Amino acid sequence: MTNKPTEKELHETIERRSTGKTSFAEFLEELHTIGIKQYDIDVATGEATYKAGNSELKTEPQVNFEISNQFDRNQALHTIANITLPFLDFLREMANAGIASYTVNINEKKAVYVGINNEQIVETLQL
């Protein structure tokens, strides 16, 4: 495992996941292998911040989704359960459920989804 992943390593890993070449669990394992400990996603823009030790790598915004004013826990849980959705479809569904952002902590094997009014859904990741 490297201490500071390169942008190239990160973008190759993201590309494999976004094109369906790797599963979500494989994606997390690849991120862990290159030194990523956590990442944060802004659901409205798709911008991601990947964190490794003392370094951060950010992606560019990809979309411009409006976050629903109504937090719908059941819809969010349904979308989370359907992690095989392509990334941008996943973001659209989360925005429709009122999820504004989420954080995936690879070391803790946990994802925290934060709703429009700071409601939270905590998911234990099965890796």
Side-chain angles (χ1 to χ4, degrees):
M1 177 170 29
T2 62
N3 289 332
K4 187 173 180 183
T6 66
E7 281 191 52
K8 182 177 187 261
E9 288 174 314
L10 180 60
H11 287 292
E12 287 173 354
T13 300
I14 294 168
E15 177 69 19
R16 281 191 292 279
R17 175 64 184 138
S18 65
T19 57
K21 293 179 181 166
T22 61
S23 70
F24 182 65
E26 291 167 329
F27 172 66
L28 293 180
E29 183 59 39
E30 287 184 27
L31 290 176
H32 178 72
T33 299
I34 64 171
I36 301 294
K37 298 178 184 326
Q38 174 178 311
Y39 64 92
D40 305 313
I41 303 285
D42 179 322
V43 173
T45 65
E47 183 180 47
T49 303
Y50 292 88
K51 299 175 181 179
N54 294 327
S55 66
E56 288 186 359
L57 295 170
K58 288 189 177 202
T59 64
E60 295 295 319
Q62 303 176 56
V63 294
N64 186 18
F65 293 138
E66 187 172 328
I67 307 298
S68 172
N69 291 337
Q70 300 296 315
F71 177 69
D72 186 333
R73 179 177 293 277
N74 289 334
Q75 181 180 350
L77 290 170
H78 176 75
T79 302
I80 292 166
N82 195 8
I83 196 65
T84 57
L85 282 172
F87 178 65
L88 297 181
D89 292 339
F90 179 80
L91 289 183
R92 182 180 297 109
E93 293 298 317
M94 294 306 272
N96 290 339
I99 299 294
S101 66
Y102 64 94
T103 297
V104 175
N105 187 309
I106 297 168
N107 289 345
E108 293 179 10
K109 297 181 178 150
K110 177 175 72 171
V112 178
Y113 301 87
V114 180
I116 194 72
N117 296 314
N118 288 323
E119 305 91 345
Q120 289 191 356
I121 297 173
V122 178
E123 173 192 21
T124 302
L125 300 173
Q126 304 299 316
L127 305 177

